[in-house]
Amino acid sequence: MLAAHGSFIHNSNAQTGAAAVVFLMIEPDSRAAGMGNAGVALADNANALFWNPAGLADQVGTEVALTHSNWLPELTSDLFFEYLVAKHHIKNWGTVGAHITFLNLGEHEHRDELNNPLGTFRSYDLSVGVSYGFKLTNRLSLGTGIRWIRSNLANVSVGAQETEPGVSIGVDVAALYKFPEFYFGTMSGQYNIGFNLSNMGPKIQYSDSEQADPIPTLFRIGQALTLEFDSYNKITVATDASKMLVRQRVTETCIDESDPATCTTEFSSDPFYKAIFSAWSPIEILSSPVNSEEQEFRSLSVVDQLLLSAGFEYWYNNLFAVRGGYFYENPYNGNREFMTFGAGIRYNIVGVDFSYIYALKENHPLSNTMRFSLLLNFAR
């Protein structure tokens, strides 16, 4: 008997597992990383290229920043992350910037199907991009960016199939609105809201188009409130909410419903221009092991799929800063939960920032991750 099993769709690995080149989501600068990864409504230095390119519009002068981090130190010692960014203001036009992002994935051993060694190969992810921010009104700024992406995971032959580096592009669209400054006696305040829709682009493939994966399109929205108590002391509180706009679909078709051996599974994902709409819906994930006798599926609402960030920053005399923050992700949608701490120093044209992750889950690979950033801010 031929019976078409009613096709069903679910997300088997939540959102992050459905996308490739997730290094594009690594928060590059130590300042916002120390604030729980909240930065879309701040974006007031060269790192605005990542958080919100619209934040470039209010910046003047020239700035160069470099961030280094030994990545996932609890897992291995040969992964590291590098981010180089620069911005420059053009009078009457706005501010432009460029960046290079590099994630070294280490050296790996290549073996054939009989487990014979065939040598070694290195893996890495690379992104190069430019951004532009300009003022639409005195309070509203817009920004955009484009990046070229190359992912070299394993440039080797596997059986009759040869893998090649994956290549794609990603585009950002962003906005930042700054409300009028307000006062409470001698204290002044500034409130901002911002959003960034980043990494919109075609799927990336390593072998053939049938196995192409989406890049991690991300929607981020946030707010920031800065209170300046006097000429020496000010504090900023920021919150972000993010959602990956990737829609993975898994279709299972069975010839005989009573015989699992007759079932085939097909994976697909919406192109980015559809996913920015279709991803705003509940998803089903497999919350029990694939090889378990009773597989259990769990529904995640749109709220469950959000990545939540909150943090603060205190500055003394614009010379020294301390920071702290909190990041949360649903246990069935990535299961990242950690506190962050950081500090910063500014003197003349030089700035140094540091951040540290304290994971709230035991044996989490992000535990003890540290970032170090160096900023050089030239003529204002």
Side-chain angles (χ1 to χ4, degrees):
M1 178 178 80
L2 275 184
H5 189 279
S7 295
F8 62 90
I9 297 173
H10 62 85
N11 185 333
S12 61
N13 295 304
Q15 299 171 94
T16 304
V21 291
V22 292
F23 83 105
L24 296 174
M25 296 176 61
I26 296 177
E27 299 79 5
D29 69 306
S30 302
R31 180 194 181 194
M35 299 174 65
N37 296 337
V40 71
L42 291 175
D44 57 3
N45 59 24
N47 292 300
L49 272 73
F50 175 86
W51 295 104
N52 187 343
L56 291 170
D58 282 318
Q59 300 183 39
V60 296
T62 302
E63 187 174 62
V64 178
L66 173 66
T67 296
H68 167 79
S69 176
N70 291 328
W71 199 242
L72 304 181
E74 297 297 298
L75 291 182
T76 180
S77 61
D78 62 349
L79 271 67
F80 59 86
F81 174 82
E82 308 286 354
Y83 183 75
L84 175 65
V85 63
K87 59 93 175 178
H88 176 71
H89 178 70
I90 303 174
K91 188 177 181 180
N92 299 326
W93 283 91
T95 303
V96 296
H99 76 88
I100 300 175
T101 306
F102 180 78
L103 178 64
N104 178 68
L105 297 171
E107 187 175 72
H108 314 279
E109 191 174 61
H110 182 208
R111 293 178 176 267
D112 62 17
E113 61 274 10
L114 300 178
N115 202 31
N116 296 313
L118 298 177
T120 61
F121 62 92
R122 301 194 67 85
S123 301
Y124 66 86
D125 286 328
L126 172 69
S127 172
V128 180
V130 294
S131 297
Y132 171 61
F134 64 97
K135 294 182 71 67
L136 189 65
T137 69
N138 286 336
R139 309 226 169 262
L140 177 62
S141 301
L142 302 179
T144 187
I146 185 170
R147 60 183 51 82
W148 175 78
I149 306 157
R150 178 182 172 89
S151 179
N152 186 33
L153 298 183
N155 195 6
V156 297
S157 297
V158 182
Q161 191 174 58
E162 184 172 346
T163 62
E164 297 180 352
V167 176
S168 184
I169 60 171
V171 176
D172 304 345
V173 177
L176 180 67
Y177 186 83
K178 296 186 175 183
F179 287 84
E181 191 175 13
F182 58 89
Y183 297 89
F184 291 110
T186 59
M187 181 178 69
S188 63
Q190 176 66 55
Y191 180 71
N192 303 340
I193 58 173
F195 88 89
N196 185 15
L197 181 57
S198 61
N199 301 322
M200 295 180 290
K203 298 178 183 179
I204 191 168
Q205 63 186 65
Y206 299 93
S207 54
D208 57 72
S209 59
E210 297 298 321
Q211 300 183 43
D213 297 308
I215 65 175
T217 301
L218 187 71
F219 176 80
R220 189 189 301 269
I221 188 169
Q223 59 183 344
L225 173 65
T226 299
L227 298 175
E228 189 167 345
F229 301 100
D230 52 43
S231 58
Y232 289 94
N233 301 282
K234 66 178 179 181
I235 188 169
T236 297
V237 179
T239 61
D240 281 11
S242 309
K243 186 184 185 309
M244 187 185 290
L245 301 185
V246 171
R247 184 64 170 181
Q248 185 188 58
R249 303 181 185 274
V250 184
T251 306
E252 184 176 80
T253 305
C254 297
I255 298 176
D256 184 351
E257 292 183 336
S258 63
D259 184 5
T262 66
C263 298
T264 59
T265 302
E266 295 183 357
F267 296 83
S268 63
S269 56
D270 291 351
F272 76 93
Y273 51 83
K274 290 185 178 180
I276 58 177
F277 302 104
S278 61
W280 296 97
S281 59
I283 59 175
E284 285 192 341
I285 65 162
L286 188 62
S287 59
S288 57
V290 175
N291 58 0
S292 65
E293 294 183 0
E294 296 184 4
Q295 294 184 7
E296 178 184 352
F297 291 94
R298 178 181 295 268
S299 179
L300 295 182
S301 68
V302 173
V303 174
D304 292 331
Q305 299 169 46
L306 295 179
L307 318 178
L308 303 176
S309 306
F312 76 91
E313 175 184 66
Y314 166 76
W315 276 100
Y316 175 75
N317 199 27
N318 290 323
L319 293 175
F320 176 74
V322 292
R323 307 178 180 107
Y326 173 74
F327 180 92
Y328 175 81
E329 192 175 51
N330 188 284
Y332 296 99
N333 190 49
N335 196 29
R336 289 180 295 170
E337 184 181 11
F338 50 80
M339 298 179 65
T340 62
F341 306 93
I345 297 175
R346 300 289 184 271
Y347 182 74
N348 202 345
I349 68 169
V350 179
V352 178
D353 291 313
F354 162 81
S355 67
Y356 174 81
I357 289 179
Y358 177 78
L360 299 178
K361 306 288 185 180
E362 286 191 24
N363 301 318
H364 197 280
L366 283 174
S367 293
N368 304 319
T369 297
M370 293 182 287
R371 293 179 180 89
F372 299 89
S373 296
L374 173 66
L375 297 90
L376 299 176
N377 196 315
F378 300 99
R380 292 184 174 274

